[in-house]
Amino acid sequence: MDIEGFFPYRLAVIAEAFARQMALVYGRKYGLTREEWRLLFLLEDGEPADLLQIGHSSSLDKVQVSRAAARLADKGLISRQVSPNDRRLRVYAITAEGHALFTLAFEGVRARADEILLAMAPEDRAALDRGLAALDRAVSDTAHGPSPRPQTP
Amino acid sequence: MDIEGFFPYRLAVIAEAFARQMALVYGRKYGLTREEWRLLFLLEDGEPADLLQIGHSSSLDKVQVSRAAARLADKGLISRQVSPNDRRLRVYAITAEGHALFTLAFEGVRARADEILLAMAPEDRAALDRGLAALDRAVSDTAHGPSPRPQTP
DNA sequence: TATTGTTATACTCTATAACTATA
DNA sequence: TATAGTTATAGAGTATAACAATA
């Protein structure tokens, strides 16, 4: 068994190399960590939301979201307001500055991602898409222990 | 643009979920870190080698290899001997205990990986394989800056 | 002077647990 | 008492720089 041909190794190395290319853009060029980038993406994309909703749709746990949100709020990229309905909740929303920065960063990331994906033959792209979707299902379907990244103890 | 459908996000999340399943085995069950696991894999697989050779074929840099090797040597899983030819070099080799532990861990990891992969339709597995290979090439082909994980400054 | 391997430093990420304030 | 969010702590991963020993 050669390590290069061992599927778990291959997947990890390829995904890492791709993620590194993206991080060069939002990280080195726009000063965002991966968690900040995801959080901004989520808030830009959807309605203002609270921490648990965000955790659910970002594959981050509540601690990660809380800390990324604190940093983003410090930079003025998002706002955090206590909910009037339930004062335990905070409602996160993207600010105008946040929107502006996200737009720039997103264009950069998308451009780099497209550059890579468009260097692939269309059939290969389709194969990748199909294979990843199937892998995603297979991991969920065969999960044993507790579900990953639980939000509540 | 929905974050769930954004390719870089999808790839990262799926690869992460898969890697987590593997780490549950070699990590939680056999007490190895990811770097120790890779290093052991490499030494089990090939000839005894020096640090730079290992770095090249493991996607780890020399610092990571050096530290993982120190921990593995402490546990008695590998040996490190100064090369007689060039006394700057150290030759790493797996020990009998290392071999025994690796064999157990590998069986476990392979079993979990196979469980997932065999839950996929054969055509989906083939698509995944083909898509990943193409993605790997595309990332390399479109690389701009310095190559990732350089071993020498 | 250049190279191999090690150590140092700092920051990010991951995983838990404990804490606070509200409900 | 339970829940939402925060803070604390520790370990693992990543990125650089500096260093010692040897060539």
Side-chain angles (χ1 to χ4, degrees):
Chain A
M1 171 49 74
D2 181 13
I3 194 172
E4 305 280 347
F6 189 53
F7 179 79
Y9 177 80
R10 270 183 74 215
L11 178 62
V13 168
I14 295 171
E16 214 174 287
F18 187 87
R20 196 187 309 274
Q21 296 298 314
M22 303 304 119
L24 282 175
V25 181
Y26 64 69
R28 203 156 290 200
K29 205 161 170 192
Y30 295 101
L32 298 169
T33 67
R34 188 193 60 151
E35 296 172 10
E36 291 170 3
W37 161 247
R38 277 198 195 170
L39 183 47
L40 221 47
F41 200 138
L42 227 91
L43 291 176
E44 168 77 18
D45 187 34
E47 298 297 302
D50 65 43
L51 186 143
L52 290 188
Q53 293 175 306
I54 291 168
H56 254 94
S57 38
S58 66
S59 296
L60 300 171
D61 69 21
K62 66 174 188 169
V63 176
Q64 293 176 301
V65 173
S66 175
R67 271 198 275 249
R71 285 194 301 258
L72 288 174
D74 282 350
K75 299 190 207 174
L77 302 176
I78 67 169
S79 63
R80 287 190 292 181
Q81 299 208 326
V82 172
S83 164
N85 305 348
D86 181 339
R87 287 165 56 212
R88 290 175 304 180
L89 293 143
R90 278 173 181 247
V91 177
Y92 299 87
I94 196 164
T95 63
E97 300 99 288
H99 174 74
L101 180 68
F102 176 82
T103 303
L104 286 174
F106 180 74
E107 276 315 302
V109 170
R110 211 199 37 175
R112 182 74 185 101
D114 282 354
E115 183 184 22
I116 294 170
L117 293 171
L118 294 176
M120 295 168 66
E123 314 83 53
D124 289 338
R125 268 202 307 281
L128 181 60
D129 198 66
R130 170 184 179 168
L132 283 177
L135 177 61
D136 191 19
R137 285 192 304 271
V139 172
S140 306
D141 291 351
T142 65
H144 300 305
S147 70
R149 315 214 133 276
Q151 296 299 327
T152 25
Chain B
M1 172 49 74
D2 181 13
I3 193 172
E4 306 279 347
F6 189 53
F7 179 79
Y9 178 80
R10 273 182 72 218
L11 177 63
V13 169
I14 296 171
E16 215 173 287
F18 187 87
R20 197 187 310 274
Q21 295 298 316
M22 302 305 119
L24 283 176
V25 182
Y26 64 70
R28 202 156 290 199
K29 207 161 169 192
Y30 295 101
L32 297 169
T33 68
R34 189 193 60 150
E35 297 173 6
E36 290 169 4
W37 160 248
R38 277 197 195 170
L39 184 45
L40 222 47
F41 201 138
L42 227 91
L43 290 176
E44 169 76 17
D45 186 36
E47 298 297 303
D50 65 43
L51 187 144
L52 291 188
Q53 292 174 306
I54 291 168
H56 252 94
S57 37
S58 67
S59 295
L60 300 172
D61 69 21
K62 65 174 188 168
V63 176
Q64 292 175 301
V65 173
S66 175
R67 272 198 273 247
R71 287 193 301 258
L72 288 174
D74 281 350
K75 299 190 206 173
L77 302 176
I78 67 169
S79 64
R80 288 190 291 181
Q81 300 207 325
V82 172
S83 163
N85 305 348
D86 180 340
R87 287 164 56 211
R88 289 174 306 179
L89 289 128
R90 277 172 181 249
V91 177
Y92 298 87
I94 197 164
T95 63
E97 300 99 288
H99 174 74
L101 180 69
F102 176 82
T103 302
L104 286 174
F106 180 73
E107 276 316 300
V109 170
R110 211 200 36 177
R112 182 74 186 102
D114 282 354
E115 183 183 22
I116 294 170
L117 292 171
L118 294 176
M120 296 169 64
E123 314 83 54
D124 289 338
R125 267 202 307 281
L128 181 59
D129 198 66
R130 171 184 178 167
L132 282 177
L135 177 61
D136 191 20
R137 284 192 303 272
V139 171
S140 306
D141 291 352
T142 64
H144 299 306
S147 69
R149 314 213 132 278
Q151 295 299 329
T152 25

